[in-house]
Amino acid sequence: MERPAWAPPGIDISAPSVSRIYDYYLGGSHNFEVDREAARKAMQFLPGLPKIMQANRAFMRRAVRYAVSEGVNQFLDIGSGIPTFGNAHEVAQKADPGARVVYVDHDPVAVAHSQAVLEGNDGAGIVQADLRKPADILADLETTRLLDLERPVALLLVAVLHFLEDSDAPQRSVAELRDALAPGSLVIVTHASYEGIPLPKEQAGGAVGVYKDIRNPLVMRSREEIARFFDGFEMVEPGLVSMPDWRPETPLGQEDPYAFSGFAGVGRKA
């Protein structure tokens, strides 16, 4: 397989990557055939995956605009993935040119592309780190350069917690991050779930099996389980709901049924 110029040296381009699969769902070009093959396999079971990802991105943009409207102009986006149109920093800095954004991802492809996209943007940076090690994220020089943790921060955990198994102690990681944030900070979460998917659980489970096969288990949690990630936060109205139902900016109309898969919510630290 020929290595494209944009692929960082040292990465294994023969193994699928969750961030590159996500890029493919969103219509991006920074993915390999091995990623597209895995995505197509998952879509055989769950054909609405691209629509789910689009709804996920649309929610993220609304939540970022909401944060800025509430006076929060610092963002810590963990599991940010490969940059695509309408990233958090673009939305935040359009609403407030002084907004600051730190992206975090453990995928070297996502990090390399973020570095290229953010070149010349002094208000945004990228950290290569893992959600399972919050202390490393918080202590990174880029984090401390850009974010003042004495002031409110919006913590984005968008489509990332479902890639942590219970054995990874995701609630502990969220709690550690929460405790480092100032009062008034927000947490912005989306999470996959069998609830809301317009298919039998057994069929949707086939897509989950594809992620397990590529050694990136996708953990489908219930609404009750997802709500626990908001412990220590006060839920912002309308609470934990499907992605299109969280503060829609236009009438939903004939929204694709797949867009209502999973849950999204925003919480505020008192």
Side-chain angles (χ1 to χ4, degrees), residues 105-188:
D105 208 288
H106 65 86
D107 185 333
V109 174
V111 172
H113 281 292
S114 297
Q115 288 170 337
V117 167
L118 299 175
E119 187 174 357
N121 188 331
D122 293 335
I126 177 71
V127 172
Q128 185 165 352
D130 195 306
L131 174 55
R132 288 167 287 201
K133 298 180 178 179
D136 291 352
I137 296 170
L138 296 168
D140 192 273
L141 292 177
E142 197 71 346
T143 304
T144 57
R145 177 182 76 85
L146 284 165
L147 302 184
D148 176 5
L149 297 184
E150 298 298 314
R151 296 194 301 110
V153 171
L155 170 63
L156 277 72
L157 299 171
V158 176
V160 64
L161 289 167
H162 49 230
F163 289 113
L164 296 189
E165 298 181 274
D166 290 344
S167 59
D168 293 317
Q171 283 186 266
R172 184 174 63 196
S173 292
V174 176
E176 190 172 334
L177 290 162
R178 178 200 65 214
D179 291 347
L181 301 180
S185 292
L186 302 173
V187 64
I188 297 169

Side-chain angles (χ1 to χ4, degrees), residues 55 59 62 237-250 252 255 259-265:
F59 160 78
R62 295 197 305 278
E237 289 294 333
L240 188 60
V241 295
S242 68
M243 292 177 288
D245 287 323
W246 196 90
R247 296 180 178 245
E249 295 170 344
T250 58
L252 293 181
E255 187 68 67
F260 296 89
S261 306
F263 292 98

